[in-house]
Amino acid sequence: ADAERESEEAAGRAAKARRQVAEVERQRRDLSKNSGALMVKGLRAELAKAQQERDELEEEAVRLVPRYDALATETKQLRRKIATEQRAIKQRSKATEAEAKELSRVQEQAAQIRRTSKGELDELMLKLSQASSCKRDAALEVNAEQRGRMDDFAKVRRWQAEQQALRKDLEHTRLQLLWVESAM
């Protein structure tokens, strides 16, 4: 039961990391349109670092829990979504449609996972709520982009702090899982 709970927590943190990487990528695209070459270069370096850390977390998750195979597939889908969101930013009139489709897909995934594992239901509902919140925030950011870059810079710093907290939580979970495995 503890291993399953730890697995669920690790899965939640991995999903949060993927969302954070997607958000950093979106921010990089926004800032590349409005910032100078130095800002773009810095954001690209941050994005590359975040993507490398996410890849390492995915590898660790596959070794820790068999459920991470499904999360790896979801990561590939999220990478495809990042590309879709890049096009959506260029076509702001279609942003609302893309977000509605993403929310629908997340809701369908939540329903499917609910059928397979009751224990994961609470975690997935939290993910769904966070995804909806992130989508609403993204829609607000697209509209707020017209009001000025300063709001965007403040949001980037806040998301970076959240990403760092996520990394710490994921490392803590990984250590707990290793401890549980060694105790068995």
Side-chain angles (χ1 to χ4, degrees):
D2 287 338
E4 187 175 299
R5 181 178 45 81
E6 292 294 326
S7 170
E8 291 170 4
E9 291 176 6
R13 289 187 180 102
K16 189 174 180 182
R18 285 189 299 276
R19 286 190 305 275
Q20 194 66 29
V21 167
E23 184 59 29
V24 168
E25 174 63 15
R26 187 200 58 72
Q27 292 170 10
R28 183 197 63 77
R29 290 187 313 268
D30 287 349
L31 292 175
S32 70
K33 292 178 184 177
N34 299 319
S35 298
L38 292 176
M39 182 59 78
V40 170
K41 183 177 179 180
L43 288 175
R44 284 182 181 158
E46 289 177 26
L47 176 61
K49 182 179 177 182
Q51 286 176 333
Q52 180 182 3
E53 289 173 2
R54 184 191 45 79
D55 290 341
E56 291 171 3
L57 290 174
E58 285 178 355
E59 290 174 11
E60 185 65 26
V62 167
R63 287 190 297 271
L64 294 175
V65 181
R67 290 267 184 205
Y68 278 33
D69 290 340
L71 292 175
T73 301
E74 184 179 344
T75 299
K76 291 176 186 176
Q77 292 172 348
L78 290 174
R79 285 181 180 164
R80 283 186 241 127
K81 295 290 181 199
I82 289 171
T84 300
E85 288 186 67
Q86 287 174 338
R87 289 186 300 270
I89 289 174
K90 292 176 184 176
Q91 302 171 355
R92 288 189 180 114
S93 64
K94 296 181 182 180
T96 303
E97 271 181 41
E99 291 167 6
K101 289 178 183 178
E102 175 65 11
L103 179 59
S104 175
R105 187 191 66 77
V106 170
Q107 288 172 337
E108 290 174 10
Q109 286 178 346
Q112 181 182 6
I113 292 172
R114 185 183 303 123
R115 288 187 297 268
T116 60
S117 175
K118 176 63 177 151
E120 295 177 351
L121 178 61
D122 293 337
E123 184 71 27
L124 291 174
M125 292 306 291
L126 178 60
K127 286 180 193 178
L128 178 60
S129 174
Q130 291 171 345
S132 297
S133 177
C134 288
K135 292 300 172 184
R136 285 189 300 272
D137 290 345
L140 291 175
E141 285 180 34
V142 168
N143 292 331
E145 184 178 348
Q146 298 170 355
R147 291 184 294 241
R149 283 188 234 155
M150 294 309 295
D151 290 340
D152 292 338
F153 292 136
K155 289 176 185 176
V156 167
R157 287 190 290 273
R158 185 177 69 242
W159 286 320
Q160 288 171 342
E162 290 175 6
Q163 184 180 19
Q164 184 64 31
L166 175 64
R167 286 185 199 128
K168 288 179 182 178
D169 288 346
L170 190 54
E171 180 63 22
H172 181 260
T173 301
R174 184 185 69 78
L175 291 174
Q176 287 178 338
L177 285 173
L178 288 174
W179 179 78
V180 169
E181 287 177 358
S182 67
M184 293 178 158

